[in-house]
Amino acid sequence: MSVALQSAAREPAARDFVHGPATRHAEALRDLRETGLLWRLCWTLGWLDIKLRYRGSVLGPFWLTLSTAIMVGAMGVVYATLFKMNLRDYLPFLALSIVLWNFLSALVSDACVGYTSSEAMIRSVRMPFILYAARIVLRNVLILGHNLLVIVAVFALLSTWPGFAAVLTLPGFALWLVDGLALTTILGALGARFRDIPPIVVSMLQMAFFVTPVIWKPELAGAKLQWLLPINPFFALLECVRGPLLGKIPSAAVYGSALAYSVLLWAAAWFLFARVRGRIAFWV
Amino acid sequence: MAAVIEVRGVSLDFPLYHGNARSLKRTVFSKVSGRIGNDTKHRVVVEALRDISFSLSSGDRLGLVGTNGAGKTTLLRTLAGIYEPVIGRISVRGSLNALLDPQLGMNLELTGRENIMLRGLYNGLDRAAILRLEEDVCEFAELGDFIDLPVRIYSSGMVVRLGFGLATAIRPQVLLMDEWFLAGDVTFMEKARLRLEDLVRGAEILVLSSHAMPVIAAWCTRVIWMDQGRIRADGPTDEVMGQYLGHEHQPAEVAAAAVPGLVPAV
């Protein structure tokens, strides 16, 4: 007969639902804490998502690496010619930009359906809602990990290793992770409630891609417009991770802007999440 | 700590946001007339639960009866913490397992073993406990070498055995169960029955929603009759069942809904 498996730590001994502004934040905090306790589950889910997508293929998840490599190679040659730039100078920039932007855009499009795609789970068992967001962030971090190989290959090929400044990319990326979680929570909830959100967000992101120095170097904006760049949150955040890896320490304006936008994003995510957490199950 | 369920004045509205609201409104209207309203923001809502109050303590065995759409499953989901009530308060003390969806979170692309591991992780089990879970479910579901193949290629009987084995492997203090759990493959029935009875016996509180009157009669000490989202009657099994069956004008249908061979003795 069944082994006496007791449901462990996750399930709190008491569960009270008292609806109202007073307990919303406590509930949201508990959601976050429970997600933290289930980190192994988040990780496994993210990993299985990737494994499943490539199960049965020869290269497996390294298809991600290969397709990014092809894209970087092709775009590198085309744009270096168009912008009349030195490939040795341009390719590391482009490889980093594309890998990082792909991370962002995949995260955003996954986030919009973050809750709706887990409908069956949400409706059959009580799980912390931030778990679904964490799964999406981790899945995309794993994809990013595969794409890092392209960057390493480009650096090795051109033997242009970044200096010691590269360490500064880590706090930048930590900021990305927290922002990613906040963004996924917001977009997941909005996307579940308003089904028009995903296409709107995707087209807005496309616009951001063109106005942000992703494939064109920030220097191209000219000296007069340089000060405008940090106003773009995408540029500021991108530069926090990309700059150090290109041996360029981001300016205080860039860091200030990235932090300010992040704090705004966290606050928005927290208040929205605390407000709608109890409604998500009805929306999916 | 003894298990307790407290439900005080719980009301729950189901908002209908998606699809063609107007045609959806008409469709649902014909099914649950009188329970569709517009809330203050003119959204279409179904009044799924209205003013539900009851409390259960260790040893209670509650049966939920009522027609389809009376709110039984919604009430179970609310008790499980999936839906949070708009009005009222629910408190559940004790570990809880809700057997609501036969294929709960099962991913057909993953192998049986991977599905078992995932379920263990969902329940916050550690590595050792997951191994025990795996052993237990493998033994019960009799999948043999299929355990390492994707669930997609299983026969329907194998999927049912795996789903059932998984869902019943973790023993809670509070067990919520929807009626699907009592239907299944006949050859599998006897083994399943023993396992389910074991689980029910081990639980301090049972809440069971079913159309199968013999099951309710055998397992429950108290019955709540749900009607249009409200409690129509609440009391000892015999009393409420008498009222409910007297009210039902299709006794043949009720008898047919009963699962043959499943009159468990607890």
Side-chain angles (χ1 to χ4, degrees), chain A residues 26-47:
Chain A
E27 287 284 329
L29 200 63
R30 179 151 81 190
D31 197 291
L32 190 63
R33 203 175 50 231
E34 283 184 20
T35 304
L37 290 174
L38 289 168
W39 66 271
R40 284 207 300 144
L41 175 64
C42 300
W43 193 252
T44 311
L45 285 172
W47 180 239

PDB file of all heavy atoms in Angstrom, chain A residues 26-47:
ATOM      1  N   ALA A  26       0.832  40.474   2.554  1.00  0.00           N
ATOM      2  CA  ALA A  26       1.312  39.298   3.272  1.00  0.00           C
ATOM      3  C   ALA A  26       1.169  38.058   2.397  1.00  0.00           C
ATOM      4  O   ALA A  26       2.060  37.207   2.349  1.00  0.00           O
ATOM      5  CB  ALA A  26       0.522  39.128   4.570  1.00  0.00           C
ATOM      6  N   GLU A  27       0.046  37.969   1.684  1.00  0.00           N
ATOM      7  CA  GLU A  27      -0.177  36.825   0.789  1.00  0.00           C
ATOM      8  C   GLU A  27       0.834  36.803  -0.350  1.00  0.00           C
ATOM      9  O   GLU A  27       1.339  35.753  -0.730  1.00  0.00           O
ATOM     10  CB  GLU A  27      -1.601  36.871   0.212  1.00  0.00           C
ATOM     11  CG  GLU A  27      -2.685  36.511   1.209  1.00  0.00           C
ATOM     12  CD  GLU A  27      -2.747  35.015   1.466  1.00  0.00           C
ATOM     13  OE1 GLU A  27      -2.425  34.251   0.542  1.00  0.00           O
ATOM     14  OE2 GLU A  27      -3.105  34.614   2.583  1.00  0.00           O
ATOM     15  N   ALA A  28       1.104  37.995  -0.889  1.00  0.00           N
ATOM     16  CA  ALA A  28       2.069  38.087  -1.993  1.00  0.00           C
ATOM     17  C   ALA A  28       3.454  37.681  -1.506  1.00  0.00           C
ATOM     18  O   ALA A  28       4.201  36.989  -2.193  1.00  0.00           O
ATOM     19  CB  ALA A  28       2.098  39.498  -2.559  1.00  0.00           C
ATOM     20  N   LEU A  29       3.762  38.082  -0.276  1.00  0.00           N
ATOM     21  CA  LEU A  29       5.060  37.748   0.300  1.00  0.00           C
ATOM     22  C   LEU A  29       5.168  36.246   0.518  1.00  0.00           C
ATOM     23  O   LEU A  29       6.200  35.633   0.251  1.00  0.00           O
ATOM     24  CB  LEU A  29       5.216  38.490   1.628  1.00  0.00           C
ATOM     25  CG  LEU A  29       6.634  38.654   2.142  1.00  0.00           C
ATOM     26  CD1 LEU A  29       7.446  39.497   1.181  1.00  0.00           C
ATOM     27  CD2 LEU A  29       6.630  39.289   3.529  1.00  0.00           C
ATOM     28  N   ARG A  30       4.076  35.652   0.972  1.00  0.00           N
ATOM     29  CA  ARG A  30       4.068  34.206   1.195  1.00  0.00           C
ATOM     30  C   ARG A  30       4.263  33.473  -0.132  1.00  0.00           C
ATOM     31  O   ARG A  30       4.966  32.465  -0.214  1.00  0.00           O
ATOM     32  CB  ARG A  30       2.756  33.777   1.838  1.00  0.00           C
ATOM     33  CG  ARG A  30       2.732  32.284   2.052  1.00  0.00           C
ATOM     34  CD  ARG A  30       1.894  31.883   3.205  1.00  0.00           C
ATOM     35  NE  ARG A  30       0.500  31.848   2.828  1.00  0.00           N
ATOM     36  CZ  ARG A  30      -0.483  31.701   3.700  1.00  0.00           C
ATOM     37  NH1 ARG A  30      -0.229  31.664   4.972  1.00  0.00           N
ATOM     38  NH2 ARG A  30      -1.711  31.652   3.295  1.00  0.00           N
ATOM     39  N   ASP A  31       3.626  34.007  -1.181  1.00  0.00           N
ATOM     40  CA  ASP A  31       3.763  33.429  -2.511  1.00  0.00           C
ATOM     41  C   ASP A  31       5.235  33.398  -2.914  1.00  0.00           C
ATOM     42  O   ASP A  31       5.760  32.384  -3.388  1.00  0.00           O
ATOM     43  CB  ASP A  31       2.942  34.285  -3.486  1.00  0.00           C
ATOM     44  CG  ASP A  31       2.662  33.569  -4.784  1.00  0.00           C
ATOM     45  OD1 ASP A  31       3.621  33.358  -5.538  1.00  0.00           O
ATOM     46  OD2 ASP A  31       1.490  33.239  -5.049  1.00  0.00           O
ATOM     47  N   LEU A  32       5.902  34.514  -2.661  1.00  0.00           N
ATOM     48  CA  LEU A  32       7.318  34.630  -3.011  1.00  0.00           C
ATOM     49  C   LEU A  32       8.162  33.642  -2.205  1.00  0.00           C
ATOM     50  O   LEU A  32       9.039  32.957  -2.734  1.00  0.00           O
ATOM     51  CB  LEU A  32       7.777  36.069  -2.753  1.00  0.00           C
ATOM     52  CG  LEU A  32       9.154  36.461  -3.277  1.00  0.00           C
ATOM     53  CD1 LEU A  32       9.203  36.362  -4.782  1.00  0.00           C
ATOM     54  CD2 LEU A  32       9.493  37.875  -2.841  1.00  0.00           C
ATOM     55  N   ARG A  33       7.838  33.526  -0.917  1.00  0.00           N
ATOM     56  CA  ARG A  33       8.604  32.644  -0.045  1.00  0.00           C
ATOM     57  C   ARG A  33       8.410  31.177  -0.453  1.00  0.00           C
ATOM     58  O   ARG A  33       9.358  30.407  -0.534  1.00  0.00           O
ATOM     59  CB  ARG A  33       8.176  32.861   1.406  1.00  0.00           C
ATOM     60  CG  ARG A  33       9.223  32.441   2.412  1.00  0.00           C
ATOM     61  CD  ARG A  33       8.802  32.783   3.824  1.00  0.00           C
ATOM     62  NE  ARG A  33       7.456  32.305   4.105  1.00  0.00           N
ATOM     63  CZ  ARG A  33       6.488  33.066   4.618  1.00  0.00           C
ATOM     64  NH1 ARG A  33       6.711  34.314   4.894  1.00  0.00           N
ATOM     65  NH2 ARG A  33       5.286  32.556   4.849  1.00  0.00           N
ATOM     66  N   GLU A  34       7.153  30.822  -0.751  1.00  0.00           N
ATOM     67  CA  GLU A  34       6.883  29.439  -1.157  1.00  0.00           C
ATOM     68  C   GLU A  34       7.592  29.100  -2.465  1.00  0.00           C
ATOM     69  O   GLU A  34       8.061  27.981  -2.652  1.00  0.00           O
ATOM     70  CB  GLU A  34       5.374  29.213  -1.305  1.00  0.00           C
ATOM     71  CG  GLU A  34       4.679  29.064   0.021  1.00  0.00           C
ATOM     72  CD  GLU A  34       3.194  28.740  -0.119  1.00  0.00           C
ATOM     73  OE1 GLU A  34       2.783  28.260  -1.190  1.00  0.00           O
ATOM     74  OE2 GLU A  34       2.460  28.999   0.833  1.00  0.00           O
ATOM     75  N   THR A  35       7.645  30.082  -3.369  1.00  0.00           N
ATOM     76  CA  THR A  35       8.381  29.859  -4.615  1.00  0.00           C
ATOM     77  C   THR A  35       9.843  29.576  -4.313  1.00  0.00           C
ATOM     78  O   THR A  35      10.449  28.681  -4.895  1.00  0.00           O
ATOM     79  CB  THR A  35       8.270  31.090  -5.533  1.00  0.00           C
ATOM     80  OG1 THR A  35       6.892  31.367  -5.745  1.00  0.00           O
ATOM     81  CG2 THR A  35       8.945  30.848  -6.861  1.00  0.00           C
ATOM     82  N   GLY A  36      10.392  30.335  -3.372  1.00  0.00           N
ATOM     83  CA  GLY A  36      11.790  30.147  -2.989  1.00  0.00           C
ATOM     84  C   GLY A  36      12.031  28.739  -2.466  1.00  0.00           C
ATOM     85  O   GLY A  36      13.027  28.096  -2.818  1.00  0.00           O
ATOM     86  N   LEU A  37      11.084  28.236  -1.673  1.00  0.00           N
ATOM     87  CA  LEU A  37      11.226  26.888  -1.130  1.00  0.00           C
ATOM     88  C   LEU A  37      11.168  25.835  -2.232  1.00  0.00           C
ATOM     89  O   LEU A  37      11.703  24.742  -2.092  1.00  0.00           O
ATOM     90  CB  LEU A  37      10.126  26.613  -0.096  1.00  0.00           C
ATOM     91  CG  LEU A  37      10.231  27.385   1.219  1.00  0.00           C
ATOM     92  CD1 LEU A  37       9.019  27.138   2.085  1.00  0.00           C
ATOM     93  CD2 LEU A  37      11.502  26.968   1.963  1.00  0.00           C
ATOM     94  N   LEU A  38      10.489  26.165  -3.323  1.00  0.00           N
ATOM     95  CA  LEU A  38      10.337  25.197  -4.414  1.00  0.00           C
ATOM     96  C   LEU A  38      11.347  25.434  -5.532  1.00  0.00           C
ATOM     97  O   LEU A  38      11.096  25.077  -6.679  1.00  0.00           O
ATOM     98  CB  LEU A  38       8.914  25.293  -4.981  1.00  0.00           C
ATOM     99  CG  LEU A  38       7.799  24.763  -4.086  1.00  0.00           C
ATOM    100  CD1 LEU A  38       6.452  25.174  -4.612  1.00  0.00           C
ATOM    101  CD2 LEU A  38       7.873  23.263  -3.969  1.00  0.00           C
ATOM    102  N   TRP A  39      12.500  26.006  -5.198  1.00  0.00           N
ATOM    103  CA  TRP A  39      13.448  26.354  -6.263  1.00  0.00           C
ATOM    104  C   TRP A  39      13.868  25.164  -7.104  1.00  0.00           C
ATOM    105  O   TRP A  39      14.084  25.284  -8.296  1.00  0.00           O
ATOM    106  CB  TRP A  39      14.677  27.061  -5.678  1.00  0.00           C
ATOM    107  CG  TRP A  39      15.504  26.182  -4.794  1.00  0.00           C
ATOM    108  CD1 TRP A  39      15.343  26.011  -3.448  1.00  0.00           C
ATOM    109  CD2 TRP A  39      16.582  25.331  -5.171  1.00  0.00           C
ATOM    110  NE1 TRP A  39      16.251  25.109  -2.978  1.00  0.00           N
ATOM    111  CE2 TRP A  39      17.031  24.674  -4.007  1.00  0.00           C
ATOM    112  CE3 TRP A  39      17.225  25.049  -6.369  1.00  0.00           C
ATOM    113  CZ2 TRP A  39      18.065  23.754  -3.998  1.00  0.00           C
ATOM    114  CZ3 TRP A  39      18.275  24.129  -6.370  1.00  0.00           C
ATOM    115  CH2 TRP A  39      18.684  23.496  -5.196  1.00  0.00           C
ATOM    116  N   ARG A  40      13.919  23.978  -6.470  1.00  0.00           N
ATOM    117  CA  ARG A  40      14.324  22.809  -7.250  1.00  0.00           C
ATOM    118  C   ARG A  40      13.283  22.481  -8.317  1.00  0.00           C
ATOM    119  O   ARG A  40      13.613  22.059  -9.415  1.00  0.00           O
ATOM    120  CB  ARG A  40      14.514  21.604  -6.332  1.00  0.00           C
ATOM    121  CG  ARG A  40      15.816  21.704  -5.543  1.00  0.00           C
ATOM    122  CD  ARG A  40      16.345  20.340  -5.166  1.00  0.00           C
ATOM    123  NE  ARG A  40      15.369  19.636  -4.332  1.00  0.00           N
ATOM    124  CZ  ARG A  40      15.160  18.332  -4.398  1.00  0.00           C
ATOM    125  NH1 ARG A  40      15.838  17.590  -5.226  1.00  0.00           N
ATOM    126  NH2 ARG A  40      14.267  17.768  -3.613  1.00  0.00           N
ATOM    127  N   LEU A  41      12.011  22.700  -7.955  1.00  0.00           N
ATOM    128  CA  LEU A  41      10.933  22.470  -8.924  1.00  0.00           C
ATOM    129  C   LEU A  41      11.028  23.468 -10.076  1.00  0.00           C
ATOM    130  O   LEU A  41      10.920  23.090 -11.244  1.00  0.00           O
ATOM    131  CB  LEU A  41       9.575  22.597  -8.232  1.00  0.00           C
ATOM    132  CG  LEU A  41       8.363  22.506  -9.146  1.00  0.00           C
ATOM    133  CD1 LEU A  41       8.267  21.144  -9.797  1.00  0.00           C
ATOM    134  CD2 LEU A  41       7.083  22.799  -8.377  1.00  0.00           C
ATOM    135  N   CYS A  42      11.256  24.748  -9.751  1.00  0.00           N
ATOM    136  CA  CYS A  42      11.375  25.784 -10.790  1.00  0.00           C
ATOM    137  C   CYS A  42      12.469  25.393 -11.773  1.00  0.00           C
ATOM    138  O   CYS A  42      12.293  25.473 -12.989  1.00  0.00           O
ATOM    139  CB  CYS A  42      11.754  27.142 -10.193  1.00  0.00           C
ATOM    140  SG  CYS A  42      10.598  27.782  -9.025  1.00  0.00           S
ATOM    141  N   TRP A  43      13.578  24.971 -11.216  1.00  0.00           N
ATOM    142  CA  TRP A  43      14.734  24.635 -12.038  1.00  0.00           C
ATOM    143  C   TRP A  43      14.417  23.439 -12.935  1.00  0.00           C
ATOM    144  O   TRP A  43      14.702  23.442 -14.135  1.00  0.00           O
ATOM    145  CB  TRP A  43      15.923  24.365 -11.113  1.00  0.00           C
ATOM    146  CG  TRP A  43      17.214  24.313 -11.825  1.00  0.00           C
ATOM    147  CD1 TRP A  43      17.970  23.208 -12.068  1.00  0.00           C
ATOM    148  CD2 TRP A  43      17.912  25.419 -12.420  1.00  0.00           C
ATOM    149  NE1 TRP A  43      19.084  23.562 -12.777  1.00  0.00           N
ATOM    150  CE2 TRP A  43      19.082  24.897 -13.010  1.00  0.00           C
ATOM    151  CE3 TRP A  43      17.650  26.790 -12.511  1.00  0.00           C
ATOM    152  CZ2 TRP A  43      19.992  25.705 -13.692  1.00  0.00           C
ATOM    153  CZ3 TRP A  43      18.554  27.586 -13.184  1.00  0.00           C
ATOM    154  CH2 TRP A  43      19.713  27.047 -13.763  1.00  0.00           C
ATOM    155  N   THR A  44      13.815  22.393 -12.344  1.00  0.00           N
ATOM    156  CA  THR A  44      13.483  21.189 -13.109  1.00  0.00           C
ATOM    157  C   THR A  44      12.493  21.512 -14.222  1.00  0.00           C
ATOM    158  O   THR A  44      12.641  21.047 -15.355  1.00  0.00           O
ATOM    159  CB  THR A  44      12.881  20.121 -12.172  1.00  0.00           C
ATOM    160  OG1 THR A  44      13.722  19.999 -11.035  1.00  0.00           O
ATOM    161  CG2 THR A  44      12.777  18.788 -12.863  1.00  0.00           C
ATOM    162  N   LEU A  45      11.481  22.321 -13.903  1.00  0.00           N
ATOM    163  CA  LEU A  45      10.482  22.665 -14.919  1.00  0.00           C
ATOM    164  C   LEU A  45      11.117  23.412 -16.081  1.00  0.00           C
ATOM    165  O   LEU A  45      10.853  23.112 -17.244  1.00  0.00           O
ATOM    166  CB  LEU A  45       9.369  23.529 -14.300  1.00  0.00           C
ATOM    167  CG  LEU A  45       8.362  22.796 -13.420  1.00  0.00           C
ATOM    168  CD1 LEU A  45       7.443  23.785 -12.723  1.00  0.00           C
ATOM    169  CD2 LEU A  45       7.539  21.831 -14.248  1.00  0.00           C
ATOM    170  N   GLY A  46      11.983  24.374 -15.748  1.00  0.00           N
ATOM    171  CA  GLY A  46      12.651  25.142 -16.792  1.00  0.00           C
ATOM    172  C   GLY A  46      13.514  24.241 -17.667  1.00  0.00           C
ATOM    173  O   GLY A  46      13.500  24.337 -18.895  1.00  0.00           O
ATOM    174  N   TRP A  47      14.204  23.325 -17.037  1.00  0.00           N
ATOM    175  CA  TRP A  47      15.092  22.434 -17.760  1.00  0.00           C
ATOM    176  C   TRP A  47      14.302  21.464 -18.641  1.00  0.00           C
ATOM    177  O   TRP A  47      14.647  21.221 -19.798  1.00  0.00           O
ATOM    178  CB  TRP A  47      15.999  21.707 -16.766  1.00  0.00           C
ATOM    179  CG  TRP A  47      16.952  20.767 -17.422  1.00  0.00           C
ATOM    180  CD1 TRP A  47      17.052  19.433 -17.219  1.00  0.00           C
ATOM    181  CD2 TRP A  47      17.940  21.092 -18.416  1.00  0.00           C
ATOM    182  NE1 TRP A  47      18.031  18.907 -18.018  1.00  0.00           N
ATOM    183  CE2 TRP A  47      18.591  19.895 -18.769  1.00  0.00           C
ATOM    184  CE3 TRP A  47      18.321  22.278 -19.050  1.00  0.00           C
ATOM    185  CZ2 TRP A  47      19.604  19.849 -19.722  1.00  0.00           C
ATOM    186  CZ3 TRP A  47      19.324  22.231 -20.002  1.00  0.00           C
ATOM    187  CH2 TRP A  47      19.964  21.035 -20.327  1.00  0.00           C
TER     188      TRP A  47
END
